[in-house]
């Protein structure tokens, strides 16, 4: 498989604190790759660096061979690297469908003035966005709640709506930030299925940060482990489960924490 995303020697320092230290790995087209590690390991900072929500101190992120680190986040998103934000990107006073339509505007061809004045291009964009939103909603199994206010949704549906908002931007790589957080077992398994369908049926490469280790072991084809800002292991779920450095990093946690 060819590389779609390359993280090359990425480092982030905040004053005297090194949050991410010379981390490198490759995400191949069609991967479901999980980044895991104990609390405070630097996972969230690394995610923000990849999506360009934080500038790197050194190193770079390459997307399809092009350096994208330190570009404006919306430019990186337009290129195809999109990060989900769970509830924080959801307009709770809007319906599910309205939220997904609004998210399409990153792809708009009409200008802001065009939308304000009701230009022909703006009208064409709006029609295309509405049709695409309906397609995404049906794909994710949210058709029955398309007209429900986001503020009324349970946790599992909120996570799925966050994924729908991400899909609206037509990503090549989707960065999922703790997609299984706060879910019960049935909700988690449903979301695992949805993530796999995104990869298998929509061709979206998935990079996720997650604390639910049983779900990570079930869904990932590759895993990168971060501890104290450094990469300590990379491999298949089976290789990670049996890696001495990973077991040591999780020492003091329950065995289930690393899916064993």
């Amino acid at each position: 498989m060819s590389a779609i995303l390359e993280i090359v020697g990425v480092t982030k320092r905040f004053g005297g604190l090194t949050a991410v230290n010379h981390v490198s790995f490759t995400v191949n087209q069609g991967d479901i790759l999980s980044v895991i590690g104990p609390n405070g390991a630097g996972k969230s900072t690394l995610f923000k660096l990849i999506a360009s929500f934080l500038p790197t101190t050194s190193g770079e992120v390459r997307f399809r061979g092009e350096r994208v680190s330190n570009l404006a986040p919306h430019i990186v998103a337009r290129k195809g690297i999109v990060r989900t934000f769970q509830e924080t990107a959801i307009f709770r006073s809007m319906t599910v469908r309205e939220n997904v339509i609004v998210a399409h505007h990153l792809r708009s061809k009409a200008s802001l003035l065009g939308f304000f004045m009701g230009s022909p291009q703006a009208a064409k964009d709006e029609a295309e966005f509405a049709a695409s939103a309906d397609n995404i909603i049906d794909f994710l199994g949210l058709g029955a709640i398309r007209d429900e206010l986001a503020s009324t949704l349970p946790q599992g549906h909120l996570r799925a709506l966050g994924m729908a908002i991400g899909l609206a931007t037509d990503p090549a790589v989707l960065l999922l930030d703790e997609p299984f957080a706060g879910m019960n077992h049935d909700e988690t398994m449903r979301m695992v299925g949805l993530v796999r369908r995104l990869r298998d049926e929509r061709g979206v490469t998935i990079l996720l940060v997650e604390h639910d280790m049983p779900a990570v072991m079930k869904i990932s084809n590759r895993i990168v482990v971060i501890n104290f800002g450094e990469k300590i292991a990379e491999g298949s779920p089976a290789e990670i489960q049996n890696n001495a450095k990973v077991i040591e990093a999780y020492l003091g946690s329950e065995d289930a924490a690393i899916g064993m």
Side-chain angles (χ1 to χ4, degrees):
M1 300 291 287
S2 59
I4 190 170
L5 190 65
E6 298 167 272
I7 291 79
V8 185
V10 166
T11 296
K12 180 61 181 179
R13 297 189 184 94
F14 298 97
L17 172 67
T18 302
V20 175
N21 189 20
H22 204 71
V23 170
S24 298
F25 61 92
T26 298
V27 183
N28 294 322
Q29 179 80 43
D31 266 350
I32 299 179
L33 187 148
S34 295
V35 178
I36 68 170
N39 289 332
K43 305 182 299 297
S44 294
T45 300
L46 177 62
F47 232 45
K48 291 174 184 176
L49 295 170
I50 294 171
S52 207
F53 280 86
L54 283 175
T56 61
T57 302
S58 62
E60 62 184 38
V61 178
R62 300 174 189 153
F63 175 63
R64 291 175 171 158
E66 176 190 0
R67 177 173 179 153
V68 295
S69 44
N70 303 347
L71 296 177
H74 72 276
I75 293 176
V76 174
R78 283 198 179 118
K79 288 179 179 293
I81 304 173
V82 176
R83 177 187 173 203
T84 62
F85 289 92
Q86 303 165 359
E87 292 91 333
T88 57
I90 292 171
F91 295 102
R92 290 180 173 269
S93 62
M94 290 184 178
T95 66
V96 167
R97 186 173 186 266
E98 288 168 342
N99 266 281
V100 182
I101 289 173
V102 166
H104 280 77
H105 282 78
L106 185 71
R107 298 159 48 185
S108 62
K109 296 176 182 176
S111 66
L112 184 61
L113 180 62
F115 279 104
F116 182 75
M117 299 295 292
S119 70
Q121 182 61 61
K124 182 179 179 182
D125 282 351
E126 291 288 4
E128 290 177 355
F129 296 165
S132 176
D134 288 334
N135 178 274
I136 290 169
I137 286 167
D138 290 339
F139 174 79
L140 293 176
L142 299 174
I145 61 166
R146 73 178 68 230
D147 296 319
E148 297 284 336
L149 290 176
S151 61
T152 68
L153 300 181
Q155 191 72 15
H157 282 150
L158 278 173
R159 288 290 193 271
L161 176 55
M163 195 177 295
I165 289 170
L167 274 180
T169 64
D170 193 25
V173 178
L174 191 59
L175 279 60
L176 301 178
D177 192 356
E178 298 189 28
F180 313 125
M183 292 185 180
N184 62 36
H185 178 268
D186 290 343
E187 289 173 329
T188 297
M189 289 303 101
R190 179 178 179 274
M191 188 60 69
V192 165
L194 285 178
V195 173
R196 281 182 175 152
R197 287 185 62 210
L198 288 182
R199 192 269 310 272
D200 296 341
E201 298 178 27
R202 294 253 171 172
V204 180
T205 299
I206 305 293
L207 180 63
L208 62 92
V209 165
E210 182 54 61
H211 288 286
D212 186 330
M213 290 303 100
V216 164
M217 295 298 166
K218 187 176 183 67
I219 198 174
S220 310
N221 61 289
R222 292 174 56 230
I223 297 171
V224 169
V225 187
I226 305 293
N227 193 29
F228 295 114
E230 298 184 352
K231 186 180 84 171
I232 62 169
E234 179 178 356
S236 68
E239 289 169 334
I240 295 303
Q241 283 178 313
N242 294 291
N243 186 292
K245 289 184 178 179
V246 177
I247 294 170
E248 182 180 358
Y250 279 95
L251 195 62
S253 302
E254 295 181 4
D255 287 342
I258 54 173
M260 299 180 70

